[in-house]
Amino acid sequence: MTDEPSLPHHHLPVSGVSEILRGEGGPDTVGLLLKAERSRRLLLLRMLDDATDLGPAWDLLSRTQRHSPEVIEDLLMYPQTGMWLATALRRLRGTTAGDDEPPLWVVLGHANALAAAAALRAGLDFSLDVPVRHGRVPLPTLGCAVLPVTEPWALATARADGGHATLTGPGGTVTLPPAGTPGPGWHPVRRLTVGPQGGRLDITLDDTDPYRTYPRPAEPRPLSADDTAHWRHLLERAWAVLLAGQPATADAMRRGLLSLTPTVARERFRPRSVTSGDAFGGVEASEPDDALQLAVTLVHEFQHVKLGGLLHLAPLLTPGTGADPPEWWYAPWRDDPRPVEGLLQGIYAFVGITRFWAGHRAVASEQNGLAHFEFALWRAQVARAVAEVRDHPRRTPLGAALLDTLAAHCARWLAEPVPAPWLELARLCADDHLARWRAHHRRPPAAAVDAAVRAWSQRAAVPPRAAAAEPGVLPSPSARWLDSLTVLVRYRLSGSDDDRVSPDGPEKRAARVTGALTGDALLSMGDPAAARHAYLTDLAADPGAPAAWAGLGSALDLSGTDPAAARLLRRRPELARAVHRALLNTSGTAPDPVRLADWLGALES
């Protein structure tokens, strides 16, 4: 490629910064982020060539740039190109590959695949060796060929001569058909166009590029024709939802949403989606439950895309010193504790989700409790997370402005009325998630537990103040499915679980949600008394079960009984769990969980 005479110094104007700080950002602002990303990619490409000498690939890319610069521009800005560049440079700097990851020569050989794809799109004659990955030869933005190769990693020759293009490797040759069409041994990348004139989204449905999954590469897995049609249908309907309820967001997505990587469906109401700061404009998403879920996913991930672009221009946090121990925070959308950097990413993403539900509940049916519930849930969760880190000492001026702006948004959202039934359900689920997180990850000091054990054993009327010492955070790998109650509530509110006609009992309801307890199902059905009994049964079988301790607090709170115990288990379930375990270990007898929590509840009065 020819050298750039100079790379510009990129910055956002005040208006663009203001848009991003509000969690927004129109097409012009997204365009500026794309320009900055272009310069970044060029720098990374130059760094890679300086470190490895890309040789024939560089020469072919340069020839293509002279002939068809628009092709090079498109390939350069393709999300997967950014991901490959970052991956290759990390590997060169010593990042160890896993057992199932390709050797370095295959990673670097992707430059040849890029150059071959560029030359094919430009109609140039060439011959170049490209990597074969488990029998598949991916050509970025075009598709992949399948060759009868048994070795995991091999080489094939890509060749074009007078408009005739082939890929030849050990065992066979694949002739490449016209772009966008399938052929024997060839799976093309599909480009989907959805939406009306003036509001169309043009996006690549990428199932072949190895760098389409984040953060680790994955081998090509082409979709069937039926699966492709299904994704097209889902995207058409999701795009209609966005155009109707989020037209400004949709307008920005048309500029900055470039590729969608489909992955297999997951459990209902538990989709998985991923972006990477190295792959601006790319989204990886599991097959959604429905079009509404896909619309929410696109909003969520596009927030990450925009924030990732901003972070390439200016930091939100000053660097950590490395001398202090790890700092962990509660993220209401995660099972695990998060560093502050990750929490900020989540806050920004869920601001977008809250805004989506704020708009969607206005256009949804008045009977659609799900939209009211989701809005009430996420406004509370985002507000809680913002309050946690709003005064963090590592904030830069930009980070402080972002958090202050988002806090003001949350205050306005919290002032909006929500019908009481959905508001109470949202409060129940938000508090329950936090209690489960604390039961898993919070650890009271040993001295605090010992003091409580001694006082209980001596039949003290109230626990000692020493038991109220601030707990630490010790991430627990067992923390999973903390959203079980929320998922069960979504079953009801989505109309897929009407307890007036469903023959399923609570055990069957719980069984269809991974990680859910029978008590969770009873709570979601509005039966806190039965839920209390179910959680106590679970604790009798497994006294250390974090979900049962937290769920018991939810049941007591919802029933209005034992308020001191409910308060303690909602706010400090980890203390009751730790003291109960210590008493069981020292005496061999387990105290009644509600009675113990009621006694400890004096600490919260």
Side-chain angles (χ1 to χ4, degrees), residues 277-324:
D278 294 318
F280 188 102
V283 172
E284 176 190 351
S286 60
E287 181 184 326
D289 300 338
D290 51 35
L292 182 61
Q293 188 181 85
L294 180 56
V296 175
T297 293
L298 293 178
V299 169
H300 177 168
E301 297 303 338
F302 193 58
Q303 289 290 101
H304 284 304
V305 167
K306 291 182 294 184
L307 188 61
L310 177 67
L311 290 173
H312 285 162
L313 295 175
L316 300 177
L317 299 165
T318 59
T321 63
D324 297 326

mmCIF file of all heavy atoms in Angstrom, residues 277-324:
data_model
loop_
_atom_site.group_PDB
_atom_site.id
_atom_site.type_symbol
_atom_site.label_atom_id
_atom_site.label_comp_id
_atom_site.label_asym_id
_atom_site.label_seq_id
_atom_site.Cartn_x
_atom_site.Cartn_y
_atom_site.Cartn_z
ATOM 1 N N GLY A 277 -13.505 -3.260 21.073
ATOM 2 C CA GLY A 277 -12.977 -1.956 20.689
ATOM 3 C C GLY A 277 -12.065 -2.036 19.480
ATOM 4 O O GLY A 277 -11.857 -1.031 18.794
ATOM 5 N N ASP A 278 -11.544 -3.218 19.193
ATOM 6 C CA ASP A 278 -10.677 -3.390 18.028
ATOM 7 C C ASP A 278 -11.461 -3.605 16.742
ATOM 8 O O ASP A 278 -10.872 -3.610 15.661
ATOM 9 C CB ASP A 278 -9.740 -4.582 18.241
ATOM 10 C CG ASP A 278 -8.753 -4.341 19.363
ATOM 11 O OD1 ASP A 278 -8.219 -3.228 19.453
ATOM 12 O OD2 ASP A 278 -8.525 -5.276 20.162
ATOM 13 N N ALA A 279 -12.768 -3.835 16.856
ATOM 14 C CA ALA A 279 -13.590 -4.185 15.685
ATOM 15 C C ALA A 279 -14.750 -3.206 15.570
ATOM 16 O O ALA A 279 -15.915 -3.603 15.623
ATOM 17 C CB ALA A 279 -14.089 -5.615 15.798
ATOM 18 N N PHE A 280 -14.443 -1.942 15.415
ATOM 19 C CA PHE A 280 -15.474 -0.903 15.361
ATOM 20 C C PHE A 280 -16.529 -1.268 14.314
ATOM 21 O O PHE A 280 -16.216 -1.534 13.164
ATOM 22 C CB PHE A 280 -14.843 0.443 14.998
ATOM 23 C CG PHE A 280 -15.787 1.610 15.114
ATOM 24 C CD1 PHE A 280 -15.723 2.464 16.208
ATOM 25 C CD2 PHE A 280 -16.742 1.849 14.142
ATOM 26 C CE1 PHE A 280 -16.593 3.546 16.321
ATOM 27 C CE2 PHE A 280 -17.619 2.920 14.245
ATOM 28 C CZ PHE A 280 -17.547 3.760 15.336
ATOM 29 N N GLY A 281 -17.789 -1.280 14.758
ATOM 30 C CA GLY A 281 -18.886 -1.546 13.838
ATOM 31 C C GLY A 281 -19.302 -2.991 13.744
ATOM 32 O O GLY A 281 -20.267 -3.309 13.039
ATOM 33 N N GLY A 282 -18.605 -3.894 14.437
ATOM 34 C CA GLY A 282 -18.943 -5.315 14.382
ATOM 35 C C GLY A 282 -19.683 -5.762 15.623
ATOM 36 O O GLY A 282 -19.337 -5.363 16.740
ATOM 37 N N VAL A 283 -20.693 -6.593 15.440
ATOM 38 C CA VAL A 283 -21.471 -7.141 16.550
ATOM 39 C C VAL A 283 -21.573 -8.649 16.374
ATOM 40 O O VAL A 283 -21.883 -9.137 15.282
ATOM 41 C CB VAL A 283 -22.885 -6.534 16.599
ATOM 42 C CG1 VAL A 283 -23.751 -7.255 17.637
ATOM 43 C CG2 VAL A 283 -22.819 -5.042 16.905
ATOM 44 N N GLU A 284 -21.295 -9.378 17.441
ATOM 45 C CA GLU A 284 -21.533 -10.816 17.484
ATOM 46 C C GLU A 284 -22.747 -11.055 18.366
ATOM 47 O O GLU A 284 -22.816 -10.521 19.485
ATOM 48 C CB GLU A 284 -20.309 -11.537 18.067
ATOM 49 C CG GLU A 284 -20.493 -13.030 18.243
ATOM 50 C CD GLU A 284 -19.358 -13.666 19.035
ATOM 51 O OE1 GLU A 284 -18.346 -12.983 19.293
ATOM 52 O OE2 GLU A 284 -19.504 -14.848 19.398
ATOM 53 N N ALA A 285 -23.728 -11.831 17.900
ATOM 54 C CA ALA A 285 -24.961 -12.019 18.657
ATOM 55 C C ALA A 285 -25.504 -13.421 18.469
ATOM 56 O O ALA A 285 -25.502 -13.958 17.355
ATOM 57 C CB ALA A 285 -26.018 -10.992 18.236
ATOM 58 N N SER A 286 -25.989 -13.999 19.571
ATOM 59 C CA SER A 286 -26.670 -15.282 19.473
ATOM 60 C C SER A 286 -28.036 -15.093 18.829
ATOM 61 O O SER A 286 -28.609 -13.994 18.852
ATOM 62 C CB SER A 286 -26.822 -15.903 20.863
ATOM 63 O OG SER A 286 -27.582 -15.060 21.713
ATOM 64 N N GLU A 287 -28.550 -16.158 18.245
ATOM 65 C CA GLU A 287 -29.871 -16.082 17.641
ATOM 66 C C GLU A 287 -30.889 -15.649 18.695
ATOM 67 O O GLU A 287 -31.004 -16.277 19.752
ATOM 68 C CB GLU A 287 -30.258 -17.447 17.073
ATOM 69 C CG GLU A 287 -31.609 -17.463 16.396
ATOM 70 C CD GLU A 287 -32.004 -18.845 15.932
ATOM 71 O OE1 GLU A 287 -31.109 -19.625 15.540
ATOM 72 O OE2 GLU A 287 -33.210 -19.150 15.969
ATOM 73 N N PRO A 288 -31.612 -14.588 18.451
ATOM 74 C CA PRO A 288 -32.478 -14.035 19.497
ATOM 75 C C PRO A 288 -33.773 -14.816 19.650
ATOM 76 O O PRO A 288 -34.184 -15.577 18.764
ATOM 77 C CB PRO A 288 -32.752 -12.618 18.999
ATOM 78 C CG PRO A 288 -32.694 -12.738 17.510
ATOM 79 C CD PRO A 288 -31.626 -13.764 17.225
ATOM 80 N N ASP A 289 -34.449 -14.586 20.777
ATOM 81 C CA ASP A 289 -35.773 -15.176 20.985
ATOM 82 C C ASP A 289 -36.777 -14.623 19.989
ATOM 83 O O ASP A 289 -37.658 -15.334 19.517
ATOM 84 C CB ASP A 289 -36.278 -14.875 22.400
ATOM 85 C CG ASP A 289 -35.370 -15.422 23.488
ATOM 86 O OD1 ASP A 289 -34.604 -16.360 23.195
ATOM 87 O OD2 ASP A 289 -35.427 -14.914 24.618
ATOM 88 N N ASP A 290 -36.643 -13.344 19.695
ATOM 89 C CA ASP A 290 -37.578 -12.679 18.789
ATOM 90 C C ASP A 290 -36.951 -11.380 18.305
ATOM 91 O O ASP A 290 -35.820 -11.030 18.679
ATOM 92 C CB ASP A 290 -38.926 -12.405 19.476
ATOM 93 C CG ASP A 290 -38.769 -11.696 20.826
ATOM 94 O OD1 ASP A 290 -37.855 -10.855 20.961
ATOM 95 O OD2 ASP A 290 -39.568 -11.973 21.743
ATOM 96 N N ALA A 291 -37.687 -10.661 17.454
ATOM 97 C CA ALA A 291 -37.161 -9.432 16.858
ATOM 98 C C ALA A 291 -36.947 -8.345 17.904
ATOM 99 O O ALA A 291 -36.010 -7.541 17.796
ATOM 100 C CB ALA A 291 -38.112 -8.937 15.770
ATOM 101 N N LEU A 292 -37.817 -8.288 18.920
ATOM 102 C CA LEU A 292 -37.665 -7.274 19.958
ATOM 103 C C LEU A 292 -36.347 -7.464 20.693
ATOM 104 O O LEU A 292 -35.624 -6.496 20.962
ATOM 105 C CB LEU A 292 -38.847 -7.346 20.931
ATOM 106 C CG LEU A 292 -38.854 -6.312 22.061
ATOM 107 C CD1 LEU A 292 -38.918 -4.898 21.506
ATOM 108 C CD2 LEU A 292 -40.024 -6.571 23.013
ATOM 109 N N GLN A 293 -36.012 -8.708 21.019
ATOM 110 C CA GLN A 293 -34.746 -8.958 21.689
ATOM 111 C C GLN A 293 -33.565 -8.575 20.804
ATOM 112 O O GLN A 293 -32.570 -8.021 21.288
ATOM 113 C CB GLN A 293 -34.642 -10.431 22.092
ATOM 114 C CG GLN A 293 -33.433 -10.740 22.963
ATOM 115 C CD GLN A 293 -33.372 -12.210 23.315
ATOM 116 O OE1 GLN A 293 -32.854 -13.030 22.557
ATOM 117 N NE2 GLN A 293 -33.908 -12.562 24.476
ATOM 118 N N LEU A 294 -33.653 -8.831 19.504
ATOM 119 C CA LEU A 294 -32.569 -8.445 18.602
ATOM 120 C C LEU A 294 -32.426 -6.934 18.544
ATOM 121 O O LEU A 294 -31.305 -6.408 18.519
ATOM 122 C CB LEU A 294 -32.815 -9.010 17.203
ATOM 123 C CG LEU A 294 -31.752 -8.690 16.153
ATOM 124 C CD1 LEU A 294 -30.363 -9.129 16.597
ATOM 125 C CD2 LEU A 294 -32.108 -9.323 14.802
ATOM 126 N N ALA A 295 -33.544 -6.213 18.539
ATOM 127 C CA ALA A 295 -33.478 -4.748 18.536
ATOM 128 C C ALA A 295 -32.756 -4.247 19.779
ATOM 129 O O ALA A 295 -31.893 -3.356 19.696
ATOM 130 C CB ALA A 295 -34.889 -4.165 18.456
ATOM 131 N N VAL A 296 -33.076 -4.808 20.942
ATOM 132 C CA VAL A 296 -32.414 -4.410 22.184
ATOM 133 C C VAL A 296 -30.924 -4.745 22.117
ATOM 134 O O VAL A 296 -30.071 -3.948 22.525
ATOM 135 C CB VAL A 296 -33.071 -5.105 23.397
ATOM 136 C CG1 VAL A 296 -32.299 -4.797 24.672
ATOM 137 C CG2 VAL A 296 -34.519 -4.657 23.547
ATOM 138 N N THR A 297 -30.589 -5.908 21.575
ATOM 139 C CA THR A 297 -29.186 -6.316 21.452
ATOM 140 C C THR A 297 -28.408 -5.342 20.574
ATOM 141 O O THR A 297 -27.272 -4.954 20.903
ATOM 142 C CB THR A 297 -29.095 -7.735 20.874
ATOM 143 O OG1 THR A 297 -29.638 -8.665 21.811
ATOM 144 C CG2 THR A 297 -27.657 -8.119 20.565
ATOM 145 N N LEU A 298 -28.981 -4.933 19.458
ATOM 146 C CA LEU A 298 -28.278 -3.999 18.572
ATOM 147 C C LEU A 298 -28.053 -2.656 19.265
ATOM 148 O O LEU A 298 -26.983 -2.038 19.129
ATOM 149 C CB LEU A 298 -29.078 -3.812 17.285
ATOM 150 C CG LEU A 298 -29.175 -5.047 16.384
ATOM 151 C CD1 LEU A 298 -30.034 -4.744 15.155
ATOM 152 C CD2 LEU A 298 -27.796 -5.547 15.955
ATOM 153 N N VAL A 299 -29.047 -2.194 20.009
ATOM 154 C CA VAL A 299 -28.867 -0.951 20.767
ATOM 155 C C VAL A 299 -27.747 -1.113 21.782
ATOM 156 O O VAL A 299 -26.864 -0.242 21.904
ATOM 157 C CB VAL A 299 -30.185 -0.555 21.464
ATOM 158 C CG1 VAL A 299 -29.953 0.567 22.474
ATOM 159 C CG2 VAL A 299 -31.226 -0.123 20.434
ATOM 160 N N HIS A 300 -27.801 -2.190 22.533
ATOM 161 C CA HIS A 300 -26.793 -2.482 23.554
ATOM 162 C C HIS A 300 -25.385 -2.448 22.961
ATOM 163 O O HIS A 300 -24.493 -1.722 23.442
ATOM 164 C CB HIS A 300 -27.116 -3.857 24.138
ATOM 165 C CG HIS A 300 -26.145 -4.367 25.158
ATOM 166 N ND1 HIS A 300 -26.413 -5.458 25.934
ATOM 167 C CD2 HIS A 300 -24.897 -3.975 25.510
ATOM 168 C CE1 HIS A 300 -25.389 -5.703 26.737
ATOM 169 N NE2 HIS A 300 -24.443 -4.818 26.487
ATOM 170 N N GLU A 301 -25.185 -3.222 21.904
ATOM 171 C CA GLU A 301 -23.837 -3.349 21.363
ATOM 172 C C GLU A 301 -23.385 -2.102 20.611
ATOM 173 O O GLU A 301 -22.188 -1.795 20.579
ATOM 174 C CB GLU A 301 -23.735 -4.591 20.479
ATOM 175 C CG GLU A 301 -23.964 -5.901 21.231
ATOM 176 C CD GLU A 301 -23.012 -6.091 22.405
ATOM 177 O OE1 GLU A 301 -21.932 -5.472 22.420
ATOM 178 O OE2 GLU A 301 -23.358 -6.854 23.327
ATOM 179 N N PHE A 302 -24.324 -1.373 20.026
ATOM 180 C CA PHE A 302 -23.920 -0.138 19.349
ATOM 181 C C PHE A 302 -23.438 0.901 20.362
ATOM 182 O O PHE A 302 -22.580 1.728 20.037
ATOM 183 C CB PHE A 302 -25.071 0.412 18.512
ATOM 184 C CG PHE A 302 -24.650 1.491 17.548
ATOM 185 C CD1 PHE A 302 -23.682 1.242 16.596
ATOM 186 C CD2 PHE A 302 -25.222 2.749 17.587
ATOM 187 C CE1 PHE A 302 -23.273 2.225 15.700
ATOM 188 C CE2 PHE A 302 -24.830 3.739 16.694
ATOM 189 C CZ PHE A 302 -23.854 3.481 15.750
ATOM 190 N N GLN A 303 -23.960 0.853 21.576
ATOM 191 C CA GLN A 303 -23.426 1.717 22.629
ATOM 192 C C GLN A 303 -21.954 1.397 22.877
ATOM 193 O O GLN A 303 -21.119 2.302 23.011
ATOM 194 C CB GLN A 303 -24.224 1.523 23.922
ATOM 195 C CG GLN A 303 -25.639 2.078 23.889
ATOM 196 C CD GLN A 303 -25.660 3.594 23.871
ATOM 197 O OE1 GLN A 303 -25.846 4.206 22.817
ATOM 198 N NE2 GLN A 303 -25.454 4.197 25.019
ATOM 199 N N HIS A 304 -21.622 0.105 22.950
ATOM 200 C CA HIS A 304 -20.218 -0.284 23.132
ATOM 201 C C HIS A 304 -19.367 0.181 21.954
ATOM 202 O O HIS A 304 -18.217 0.601 22.133
ATOM 203 C CB HIS A 304 -20.112 -1.802 23.260
ATOM 204 C CG HIS A 304 -20.544 -2.351 24.586
ATOM 205 N ND1 HIS A 304 -20.006 -1.930 25.782
ATOM 206 C CD2 HIS A 304 -21.462 -3.303 24.905
ATOM 207 C CE1 HIS A 304 -20.561 -2.603 26.779
ATOM 208 N NE2 HIS A 304 -21.453 -3.441 26.274
ATOM 209 N N VAL A 305 -19.900 0.079 20.747
ATOM 210 C CA VAL A 305 -19.158 0.512 19.564
ATOM 211 C C VAL A 305 -18.784 1.988 19.687
ATOM 212 O O VAL A 305 -17.627 2.384 19.470
ATOM 213 C CB VAL A 305 -19.990 0.262 18.284
ATOM 214 C CG1 VAL A 305 -19.376 0.989 17.084
ATOM 215 C CG2 VAL A 305 -20.085 -1.236 17.990
ATOM 216 N N LYS A 306 -19.760 2.824 20.029
ATOM 217 C CA LYS A 306 -19.495 4.260 20.132
ATOM 218 C C LYS A 306 -18.510 4.577 21.251
ATOM 219 O O LYS A 306 -17.583 5.387 21.062
ATOM 220 C CB LYS A 306 -20.809 5.014 20.367
ATOM 221 C CG LYS A 306 -21.751 5.010 19.172
ATOM 222 C CD LYS A 306 -23.004 5.814 19.445
ATOM 223 C CE LYS A 306 -23.853 5.200 20.525
ATOM 224 N NZ LYS A 306 -25.124 5.914 20.757
ATOM 225 N N LEU A 307 -18.706 3.948 22.404
ATOM 226 C CA LEU A 307 -17.797 4.232 23.510
ATOM 227 C C LEU A 307 -16.392 3.739 23.188
ATOM 228 O O LEU A 307 -15.401 4.397 23.528
ATOM 229 C CB LEU A 307 -18.307 3.580 24.797
ATOM 230 C CG LEU A 307 -17.546 3.972 26.060
ATOM 231 C CD1 LEU A 307 -17.640 5.476 26.311
ATOM 232 C CD2 LEU A 307 -18.061 3.203 27.272
ATOM 233 N N GLY A 308 -16.284 2.597 22.520
ATOM 234 C CA GLY A 308 -14.957 2.126 22.114
ATOM 235 C C GLY A 308 -14.260 3.107 21.199
ATOM 236 O O GLY A 308 -13.046 3.335 21.316
ATOM 237 N N GLY A 309 -15.024 3.707 20.263
ATOM 238 C CA GLY A 309 -14.436 4.722 19.396
ATOM 239 C C GLY A 309 -13.979 5.936 20.171
ATOM 240 O O GLY A 309 -12.898 6.496 19.912
ATOM 241 N N LEU A 310 -14.781 6.366 21.150
ATOM 242 C CA LEU A 310 -14.386 7.512 21.970
ATOM 243 C C LEU A 310 -13.117 7.213 22.758
ATOM 244 O O LEU A 310 -12.221 8.067 22.863
ATOM 245 C CB LEU A 310 -15.526 7.879 22.924
ATOM 246 C CG LEU A 310 -15.238 9.028 23.900
ATOM 247 C CD1 LEU A 310 -15.073 10.338 23.138
ATOM 248 C CD2 LEU A 310 -16.339 9.145 24.943
ATOM 249 N N LEU A 311 -13.020 5.999 23.286
ATOM 250 C CA LEU A 311 -11.855 5.652 24.106
ATOM 251 C C LEU A 311 -10.568 5.586 23.292
ATOM 252 O O LEU A 311 -9.468 5.643 23.863
ATOM 253 C CB LEU A 311 -12.096 4.317 24.815
ATOM 254 C CG LEU A 311 -13.147 4.354 25.929
ATOM 255 C CD1 LEU A 311 -13.426 2.953 26.453
ATOM 256 C CD2 LEU A 311 -12.692 5.265 27.063
ATOM 257 N N HIS A 312 -10.679 5.459 21.972
ATOM 258 C CA HIS A 312 -9.473 5.536 21.142
ATOM 259 C C HIS A 312 -8.999 6.978 20.972
ATOM 260 O O HIS A 312 -7.890 7.215 20.486
ATOM 261 C CB HIS A 312 -9.741 4.917 19.770
ATOM 262 C CG HIS A 312 -9.784 3.430 19.796
ATOM 263 N ND1 HIS A 312 -10.354 2.680 18.787
ATOM 264 C CD2 HIS A 312 -9.336 2.526 20.720
ATOM 265 C CE1 HIS A 312 -10.246 1.390 19.086
ATOM 266 N NE2 HIS A 312 -9.645 1.285 20.246
ATOM 267 N N LEU A 313 -9.845 7.929 21.377
ATOM 268 C CA LEU A 313 -9.479 9.340 21.277
ATOM 269 C C LEU A 313 -9.121 9.949 22.624
ATOM 270 O O LEU A 313 -8.253 10.827 22.695
ATOM 271 C CB LEU A 313 -10.645 10.135 20.663
ATOM 272 C CG LEU A 313 -10.999 9.808 19.219
ATOM 273 C CD1 LEU A 313 -12.240 10.595 18.798
ATOM 274 C CD2 LEU A 313 -9.829 10.124 18.298
ATOM 275 N N ALA A 314 -9.796 9.524 23.673
ATOM 276 C CA ALA A 314 -9.566 10.128 24.990
ATOM 277 C C ALA A 314 -9.990 9.146 26.073
ATOM 278 O O ALA A 314 -10.997 8.453 25.920
ATOM 279 C CB ALA A 314 -10.354 11.434 25.128
ATOM 280 N N PRO A 315 -9.253 9.080 27.186
ATOM 281 C CA PRO A 315 -9.602 8.126 28.256
ATOM 282 C C PRO A 315 -10.663 8.702 29.192
ATOM 283 O O PRO A 315 -10.806 9.915 29.345
ATOM 284 C CB PRO A 315 -8.276 7.938 28.993
ATOM 285 C CG PRO A 315 -7.570 9.262 28.822
ATOM 286 C CD PRO A 315 -7.975 9.766 27.455
ATOM 287 N N LEU A 316 -11.396 7.812 29.817
ATOM 288 C CA LEU A 316 -12.349 8.189 30.858
ATOM 289 C C LEU A 316 -11.732 8.066 32.248
ATOM 290 O O LEU A 316 -12.245 8.643 33.208
ATOM 291 C CB LEU A 316 -13.600 7.313 30.790
ATOM 292 C CG LEU A 316 -14.392 7.357 29.486
ATOM 293 C CD1 LEU A 316 -15.561 6.372 29.557
ATOM 294 C CD2 LEU A 316 -14.892 8.762 29.200
ATOM 295 N N LEU A 317 -10.645 7.295 32.341
ATOM 296 C CA LEU A 317 -9.984 7.047 33.619
ATOM 297 C C LEU A 317 -8.487 7.244 33.461
ATOM 298 O O LEU A 317 -7.925 6.976 32.390
ATOM 299 C CB LEU A 317 -10.242 5.620 34.101
ATOM 300 C CG LEU A 317 -11.694 5.217 34.364
ATOM 301 C CD1 LEU A 317 -11.798 3.702 34.471
ATOM 302 C CD2 LEU A 317 -12.220 5.876 35.627
ATOM 303 N N THR A 318 -7.851 7.701 34.522
ATOM 304 C CA THR A 318 -6.387 7.746 34.528
ATOM 305 C C THR A 318 -5.861 6.336 34.762
ATOM 306 O O THR A 318 -6.564 5.486 35.334
ATOM 307 C CB THR A 318 -5.871 8.681 35.630
ATOM 308 O OG1 THR A 318 -6.354 8.212 36.894
ATOM 309 C CG2 THR A 318 -6.349 10.104 35.398
ATOM 310 N N PRO A 319 -4.640 6.031 34.332
ATOM 311 C CA PRO A 319 -4.118 4.671 34.521
ATOM 312 C C PRO A 319 -3.980 4.316 35.997
ATOM 313 O O PRO A 319 -3.667 5.172 36.836
ATOM 314 C CB PRO A 319 -2.748 4.716 33.827
ATOM 315 C CG PRO A 319 -2.816 5.894 32.906
ATOM 316 C CD PRO A 319 -3.713 6.887 33.572
ATOM 317 N N GLY A 320 -4.223 3.055 36.318
ATOM 318 C CA GLY A 320 -3.981 2.580 37.676
ATOM 319 C C GLY A 320 -2.492 2.453 37.926
ATOM 320 O O GLY A 320 -1.700 2.298 37.003
ATOM 321 N N THR A 321 -2.105 2.499 39.193
ATOM 322 C CA THR A 321 -0.681 2.426 39.536
ATOM 323 C C THR A 321 -0.164 0.999 39.523
ATOM 324 O O THR A 321 1.031 0.772 39.356
ATOM 325 C CB THR A 321 -0.438 3.024 40.927
ATOM 326 O OG1 THR A 321 -1.135 2.241 41.907
ATOM 327 C CG2 THR A 321 -0.948 4.468 40.976
ATOM 328 N N GLY A 322 -1.054 0.039 39.702
ATOM 329 C CA GLY A 322 -0.618 -1.348 39.787
ATOM 330 C C GLY A 322 -0.157 -1.739 41.170
ATOM 331 O O GLY A 322 0.046 -2.920 41.456
ATOM 332 N N ALA A 323 0.021 -0.760 42.065
ATOM 333 C CA ALA A 323 0.481 -1.064 43.422
ATOM 334 C C ALA A 323 -0.662 -1.481 44.325
ATOM 335 O O ALA A 323 -0.460 -2.211 45.300
ATOM 336 C CB ALA A 323 1.184 0.156 44.009
ATOM 337 N N ASP A 324 -1.863 -1.019 44.039
ATOM 338 C CA ASP A 324 -3.010 -1.318 44.884
ATOM 339 C C ASP A 324 -3.615 -2.661 44.502
ATOM 340 O O ASP A 324 -3.482 -3.123 43.364
ATOM 341 C CB ASP A 324 -4.063 -0.221 44.749
ATOM 342 C CG ASP A 324 -3.549 1.131 45.227
ATOM 343 O OD1 ASP A 324 -2.750 1.137 46.187
ATOM 344 O OD2 ASP A 324 -3.926 2.152 44.627
#
